[in-house]
């Protein structure tokens, strides 16, 4: 893993720690509006994602966005990946938590 | 004691005068006609055929004279008839009750005709006819003193035998095998009562008194004993019990010394001295526990049996099994807690596989068993008849897991579970109850009691609620459920708040520190505990865990089941993959012409079906293992039925075949793997078989992993 280019996986609650940094955010799309989407992050918080790659979302409700944290509630997209329509957010939430708390050294 | 005049017959035969009459031992009395009897008269050296006059005959008839008595013949003649001497008894009186010498048979070969039966008195008859004489109560009409624990039949049979003038085994009364018992008993008793005798008292003992007539009621125990010695000769030739019984340590040991008729000080051996090479022994033991009577059929016959655990005053235990007639007769007799004398059993090496009693030997009793209730053991002997319990501390239980030998445990009860009911394989229900014990090692363990112990003792514990009594259980098996678990057996003895130093120490420890000490389950941290706690016995493993080291392999041990998540890394396409199977039972079939012969049931089938026998290398991050997939598991793994894949494999379309195989590779599965250890060609190996498989549920798996991380 490239340490210099580390992209931690975050939940809503962790966004504020990574202001201006690149993160990976996974969530379930709730609302689509022009150039933004609002999605539910793994810990339930709603995040606004500013789209830069177009408004097309084929393939499911769950997406992973790689982007820069703009504010504690929004992220600017750099790229996106589809996670299909079956994804267990609860488990993912745990993973996020662990990777940021206990096992940070494994990920970063 | 009166003795015959040794050597007098010689003089008599020589027609020499004998002053004051001669003392002879009379035997083999047989009625010839109205009032005359033929007999054999012995002087201790030789014998002579005898004939009684009518007068003497009347004495015999009246029961005054009977076999083995010492009579003083004051008037007699001795004539020679056909070169044989015959001594005619004209006048004689009984001066002593004799005892048949060991070599008596040679002098009394005749079987007794039934006419001699009248010699018995009504009282004797009563005893003989008592059908329940096999039980241990003395019949009221017995001439014996109360408190004498003598098989009444012994008196009877002894009487009959005496009357019949024969010591042959054939001369048995209707009580089937009782005389045989009395024989041995008699010998033992003889040894007991003739301490002056040399141990090998079998040969030519001094004639002793015999009570053959029931019309002489006031006989004391000693005479009775001796009376039985009327049949010292035993049908079982090899017996020489006296040497063993008398004068040896067993004799004086557990039994109280003779203080009177009530305590005879029978020659009893300690159980510890039993061995297969000595067949005539008597032990005095308490029935510590009695198993249920069960029966099975073999060769069309029903055989019933039950087992008891016996313990003697030294605290040695041994298991005894009673078969068939012995089982039927004595099941109700051998109540737990009672003390009996046991004889005539077969000592055999014990089969250690059956979690047996702690003894190298076991006793097998059959038809000729001899059991006698012991009513004269004093309390000190009785109280010593406790199996010495060797308690093991709970933290050391782990070392005893799955060992055959049972353990005794003692601990404070911290929790009593409810009574529950378990259904056995044969659909019978059995009560069970779990209790939690703790001891000074600060470890807890769960103990399961079954049957009556669960109901009664367990019920008591439940009622005692918060008092945390001390509980001791003997003979438990240690298992590996939850790491360490303890299970009582049928014959476990459960004691609440028992006596003894261990219990007292436990109580003290509990009252001072134990009650608040943090405790740990005895099975924690053990490899087997990881397999599951409180639920299924299968926990999750990694491939590394299911493989055992070479030195741990136990051939033919029980198969083990594991849950693993693994990737099917490689399936060798060139392996056989499947076999030709019988559609009914899946066994191998052999082609015979157009048909297929199943070797197992010998039937012919028009068609066979292929079944998978696919070996694949499975791997996870800890290691790799060769696991085989059979039948339906193979179907699922490869996604195609064996018959279909055969077409591709054996046919032209090898590419298709390879593609199928390839597709199955690197698939993730959640497997239940069964591992077997077996020996093949001298090599002991583990074989793994997939019991069931599921595609990996990632969510579930992730959760499980997270659980592991979080803990």
């Amino acid at each position: 893993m490239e340490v210099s280019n580390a992209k931690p996986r975050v939940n809503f609650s962790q966004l504020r720690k990574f202001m201006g940094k690149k993160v990976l955010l996974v969530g379930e799309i709730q609302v689509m509006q022009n150039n933004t989407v609002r999605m539910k992050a793994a810990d339930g918080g709603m995040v606004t994602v500013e789209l830069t790659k177009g408004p097309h979302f084929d393939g499911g409700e769950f997406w992973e966005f790689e982007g820069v944290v703009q504010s504690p509630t929004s992220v600017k997209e750099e790229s996106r990946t589809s996670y299909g329509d079956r994804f267990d957010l609860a488990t993912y939430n745990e993973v996020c938590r662990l990777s940021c708390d206990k096992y940070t050294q494994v990920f970063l | 004691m009166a003795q015959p005049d040794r050597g007098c017959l010689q003089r008599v035969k020589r027609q020499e005068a004998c002053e004051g009459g001669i003392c002879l031992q009379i035997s083999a009395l047989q009625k010839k006609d109205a009032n005359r009897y033929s007999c054999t008269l012995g002087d201790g050296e030789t014998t002579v055929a005898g004939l009684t006059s009518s007068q003497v005959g009347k004495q015999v008839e009246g029961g005054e004279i009977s076999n083995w008595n010492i009579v003083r013949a004051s008037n007699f003649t001795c004539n020679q008839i056909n070169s044989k001497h015959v001594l005619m008894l004209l006048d004689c009186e009984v001066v002593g009750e004799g005892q048949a010498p060991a070599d008596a048979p040679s002098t009394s070969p005749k079987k007794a005709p039934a006419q001699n039966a009248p010699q018995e008195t009504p009282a004797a008859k009563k005893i003989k006819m008592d059908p329940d004489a096999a039980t241990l109560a003395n019949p009221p009409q017995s001439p014996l003193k109360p408190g004498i624990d003598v098989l009444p039949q012994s008196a009877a049979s002894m009487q009959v035998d005496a009357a019949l003038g024969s010591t042959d085994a054939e001369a048995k009364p209707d009580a089937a095998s009782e005389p045989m018992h009395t024989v041995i008993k008699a010998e033992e008793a003889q040894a007991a009562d003739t301490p002056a005798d040399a141990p090998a008292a079998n040969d030519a003992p001094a004639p002793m008194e015999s009570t053959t007539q029931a019309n002489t009621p006031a006989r004391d125990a000693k005479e009775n004993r001796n009376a039985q010695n009327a049949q010292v000769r035993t049908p079982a030739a090899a017996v020489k019990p006296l040497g063993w019984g008398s004068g040896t340590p067993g004799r004086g040991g557990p039994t109280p010394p003779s203080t009177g008729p009530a305590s005879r000080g029978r020659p009893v051996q300690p159980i510890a001295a039993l061995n297969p090479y000595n067949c005539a022994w008597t032990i005095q033991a308490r029935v510590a526990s009695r198993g249920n009577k069960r029966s099975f059929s073999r060769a069309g016959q029903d055989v019933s049996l039950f087992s008891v655990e016996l313990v003697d005053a030294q605290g040695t235990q041994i298991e005894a099994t009673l078969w068939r007639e012995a089982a039927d007769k004595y099941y109700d007799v051998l109540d737990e807690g009672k003390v009996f004398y046991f004889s005539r059993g077969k000592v055999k090496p014990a089969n250690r596989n059956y979690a047996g009693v702690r003894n190298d030997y076991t006793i097998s009793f059959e038809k000729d068993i001899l059991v006698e209730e012991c009513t004269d053991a004093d309390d000190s002997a009785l109280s010593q008849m406790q199996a010495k319990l060797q308690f093991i501390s709970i933290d050391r239980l782990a070392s005893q897991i799955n060992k055959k030998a049972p353990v005794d445990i003692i601990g404070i009860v911290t929790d009593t579970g409810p009574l529950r009911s378990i259904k056995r394989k044969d659909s019978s229900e059995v009560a069970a109850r779990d209790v939690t014990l703790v001891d000074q090692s600060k470890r807890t363990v769960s103990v399961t009691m079954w049957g009556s112990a669960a109901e009664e003792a367990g019920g008591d514990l439940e009622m005692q609620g918060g008092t945390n009594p001390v509980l001791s259980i003997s003979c438990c098996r240690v298992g590996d459920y939850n790491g360490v678990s303890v299970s009582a057996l049928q014959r476990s003895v459960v004691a609440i708040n028992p006596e003894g130093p261990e219990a007292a120490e436990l109580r003290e420890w509990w009252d001072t520190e134990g009650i608040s000490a943090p405790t740990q389950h005895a099975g924690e941290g053990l490899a087997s505990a990881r397999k599951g706690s409180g639920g299924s016995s299968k926990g999750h493993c990694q491939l590394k865990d299911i493989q055992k080291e070479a030195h741990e392999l136990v051939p033919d041990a029980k198969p083990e089941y594991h849950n693993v998540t693994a990737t099917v890394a490689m399936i060798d396409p060139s392996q056989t993959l499947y076999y030709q199977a019988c559609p009914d039972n899946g066994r191998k079939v052999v082609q015979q012409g157009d048909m297929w012969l199943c070797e197992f049931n010998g039937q012919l089938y028009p068609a066979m079906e292929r079944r998978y026998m696919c070996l694949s290398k499975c791997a996870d991050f800890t290691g790799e293992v060769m696991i085989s997939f059979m039948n339906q598991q193979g179907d699922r793994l490869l996604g195609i039925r064996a018959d279909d894949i055969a077409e591709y494999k054996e046919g032209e379309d090898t590419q298709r075949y390879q593609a199928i195989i390839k597709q199955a590779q690197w698939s993730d599965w959640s497997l239940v793997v069964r591992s077997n250890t077996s020996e093949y060609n001298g090599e002991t190996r583990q074989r793994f078989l997939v019991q069931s498989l599921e595609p990996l549920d990632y969510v579930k798996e992730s959760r499980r992993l997270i659980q592991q991380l979080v803990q």
Side-chain angles (χ1 to χ4, degrees), chain B residues 177-235:
Chain B
S177 48
E178 301 309 319
M180 306 243 278
H181 310 171
T182 67
V183 166
I184 303 291
K185 241 165 41 73
E187 287 163 324
E188 313 273 18
Q190 179 188 13
D193 280 302
T194 58
D197 285 355
N202 258 344
D203 20 82
M208 295 185 223
E209 302 155 330
S210 67
T211 52
T212 54
Q213 308 306 323
N215 62 352
T216 51
R219 299 275 178 200
D220 67 27
K222 194 173 165 86
E223 287 186 341
N224 238 341
R225 279 276 129 271
N226 296 333
Q228 292 161 359
N229 294 331
Q231 316 131 58
V232 164
R233 184 191 85 90
T234 78

Side-chain angles (χ1 to χ4, degrees), chain A residues 19 21 48 57 80:
Chain A
M19 293 284 287
K21 301 228 176 62
T48 310
F57 285 95
R80 64 179 82 150

Side-chain angles (χ1 to χ4, degrees), chain B residues 148-150 192-193 221 225 256 258 260-266 341 372 376:
Chain B
I148 309 298
D149 39 335
V150 170
D193 280 302
R225 279 276 129 271
S258 268
S263 52
R264 278 170 284 99
R266 298 168 60 85
Y341 293 102
E372 206 186 324
D376 63 352

Side-chain angles (χ1 to χ4, degrees), chain B residues 522-589:
Chain B
E524 259 182 64
L526 290 183
S528 46
R530 268 192 271 117
K531 281 215 196 95
S533 41
S536 74
S537 60
K538 307 181 280 183
H540 200 272
C541 302
Q542 278 115 23
L543 286 182
K544 182 174 58 113
D545 298 327
I546 71 176
Q547 286 177 307
K548 288 203 184 122
E549 297 289 320
H551 64 263
E552 288 179 327
L553 292 178
V554 178
D556 298 324
K558 258 181 10 187
E560 291 174 7
Y561 292 85
H562 310 269
N563 283 345
V564 275
T565 308
T567 309
V568 172
M570 199 197 75
I571 304 173
D572 179 4
S574 64
Q575 65 175 295
T576 320
L577 206 63
Y578 45 76
Y579 66 101
Q580 291 154 342
C582 162
D584 279 344
N585 57 32
R587 304 269 180 162
K588 185 178 135 188
V589 291

